[in-house]
Amino acid sequence: MVEQIPRQILDKISQQISEKTYPGASLAIYDKGKWLERYLGYQDEKQPVVAGLTYDLASVTKVIGTGTLALQALQEGRFGLDQPLHALYPKWQDSTVTIRQLLTHTSGIDPFIPNRDQLDATELKQAIETLTVTEDKHFRYTDVNFLLLGFLLEEIYQEPLDRLFDQRVFAPWQMTETGYGPVAEAVVTQAGSRAGIVHDPKAKVLGKHTASAGLFSGLKDLENYCQHLLTEDWTKPLWQNYSQDSKERSLAWDLAGDWILHTGYTGTFVMANRHSQQAVIFLSNRTYWKDERAQWIKDRDSLIHLIWHNLKKTS
């Protein structure tokens, strides 16, 4: 069991802070029944990172909200994995795209939307519903797969996503501070922007109907989420490969051996290992000073692999 967060991990985060990869970070590690938390650096140029902060989760929304709800819908028989989206959501005209493909990012949908940032909510939704489908069914991560899943879930349950998430995930799992923005207070994702305003451009337009991004949360709520994820019987299927491509994927989650993992554009990630009863939550605002995505992926992955290496010693 990890008795304290390994120095190597804290040193790596401190190094990345000093290199201005992000101003600061909130970190929680769970190992066999015990959470350890650390708060490093600053929220901006002045305010230190402390307990109780709320962050823009970006694409971590895909797993804690949409993926969890989709697993419930599957187990309730609301749809089948290989059922065409069109059969359940006729506004989507292409009959070749399946629920499995959306959940594993193998749909072949071309995500390009002309003049996307000039569209209002109605226009953006219509544009997403009429995207082109290609024959390339290899893994290609794109928000539109989950935006369509969100539209489908709202159609099936006849409720908006914010209410569905609250009723079916957040309230039962004691996630009282998790929800869509705008929120009163949150760590600022970009210098000069208002706190509590979502960073993702599609979520700014679609609001509470955005299944790919838009949720805000903090360590405590995500700790509750991870503990339920690791212990409830109905979540066991998440630690399986569902992709028909060579890139292994769980339902909504990336799959790496015994770990499921998902990252967020703003500098967040959550990962969990049911077998070893371990989990990690990392929250930052890496878009505060700059948005060098390619470099961030390298920095993020080096941190993730360092954490994996240290936790493997204790499992």
Side-chain angles (χ1 to χ4, degrees):
M1 177 186 288
V2 171
E3 297 295 340
Q4 57 184 2
I5 295 177
R7 187 77 248 168
Q8 273 186 304
I9 296 172
L10 298 177
D11 286 347
K12 169 64 91 172
I13 294 171
S14 295
Q15 176 192 341
Q16 292 183 342
I17 290 171
S18 69
E19 293 170 347
K20 290 201 167 187
T21 304
Y22 39 82
S26 297
L27 172 71
I29 293 179
Y30 182 73
D31 189 21
K32 301 178 182 69
K34 182 179 180 182
W35 282 104
L36 299 167
E37 299 174 357
R38 285 297 294 269
Y39 308 94
L40 300 94
Y42 290 83
Q43 302 173 47
D44 46 28
E45 280 86 7
K46 297 177 181 178
Q47 301 178 85
V49 172
V50 294
L53 296 176
T54 300
Y55 289 80
D56 181 342
L57 298 183
S59 285
V60 173
T61 298
K62 290 183 176 74
V63 288
I64 70 162
T66 313
T68 311
L69 185 60
L71 178 60
Q72 290 179 1
L74 279 166
Q75 293 182 345
E76 292 169 5
R78 302 278 185 156
F79 50 65
L81 268 182
D82 294 309
Q83 196 166 3
L85 173 62
H86 169 72
L88 297 158
Y89 191 71
K91 289 179 183 177
W92 177 259
Q93 294 296 310
D94 188 283
S95 61
T96 66
V97 173
T98 66
I99 307 301
R100 181 194 301 270
Q101 290 171 347
L102 295 175
L103 281 163
T104 58
H105 294 286
T106 54
S107 66
I109 298 173
D110 183 345
F112 178 68
I113 299 172
N115 304 311
R116 185 196 68 189
D117 294 341
Q118 281 72 55
L119 305 180
D120 63 21
T122 300
E123 293 166 338
L124 180 56
K125 188 176 183 183
Q126 289 174 345
I128 293 165
E129 291 168 343
T130 54
L131 287 169
T132 301
V133 180
T134 72
E135 294 182 3
D136 183 358
K137 303 300 180 182
H138 292 298
F139 171 78
R140 183 185 184 187
Y141 181 88
T142 172
D143 285 349
V144 298
N145 290 320
F146 275 70
L147 290 167
L148 286 165
L149 278 170
F151 301 157
L152 169 62
L153 289 165
E154 289 186 323
E155 182 74 17
I156 286 172
Y157 290 106
Q158 289 295 296
E159 295 272 10
L161 285 178
D162 61 337
R163 198 171 301 167
L164 290 170
F165 292 164
D166 283 340
Q167 293 174 349
R168 301 178 67 92
V169 184
F170 304 156
W173 287 4
Q174 302 83 47
M175 298 170 66
T176 58
E177 303 298 321
T178 302
Y180 283 98
V183 298
E185 294 182 12
V187 176
V188 177
T189 56
Q190 193 170 4
S193 65
R194 268 178 54 209
I197 303 299
V198 71
H199 182 268
D200 181 86
K202 295 180 293 299
K204 284 180 180 176
V205 176
L206 294 171
K208 64 185 181 182
H209 306 289
T210 317
S212 58
L215 289 177
F216 287 76
S217 190
L219 283 190
K220 289 300 181 186
D221 275 15
L222 293 174
E223 287 171 7
N224 288 344
Y225 176 84
C226 287
Q227 285 184 264
H228 284 276
L229 197 71
L230 291 171
T231 56
E232 298 209 3
D233 286 343
W234 69 274
T235 63
K236 284 181 181 178
L238 290 176
W239 280 268
Q240 298 175 28
N241 176 38
Y242 292 89
S243 177
Q244 295 173 331
D245 182 48
S246 57
K247 166 72 172 171
E248 291 193 349
R249 295 283 301 188
S250 174
L251 299 176
W253 297 81
D254 196 4
L255 185 65
D258 289 332
W259 288 89
I260 55 174
L261 163 75
H262 211 286
T263 64
Y265 193 90
T266 50
T268 58
F269 61 80
V270 174
M271 53 191 194
N273 185 326
R274 192 180 182 101
H275 175 74
S276 64
Q277 286 295 293
Q278 294 173 317
V280 180
I281 303 159
F282 178 86
L283 304 174
S284 79
N285 53 336
R286 70 100 190 165
T287 49
Y288 183 79
W289 283 306
K290 57 192 176 184
D291 190 357
E292 297 172 356
R293 185 167 179 267
Q295 183 59 48
W296 163 242
I297 291 172
K298 293 177 183 176
D299 293 336
R300 178 199 72 198
D301 289 354
S302 69
L303 176 59
I304 288 171
H305 284 96
L306 179 64
I307 292 171
W308 272 337
H309 174 74
N310 277 270
L311 291 185
K312 191 175 181 181
K313 296 175 184 177
T314 72
S315 61

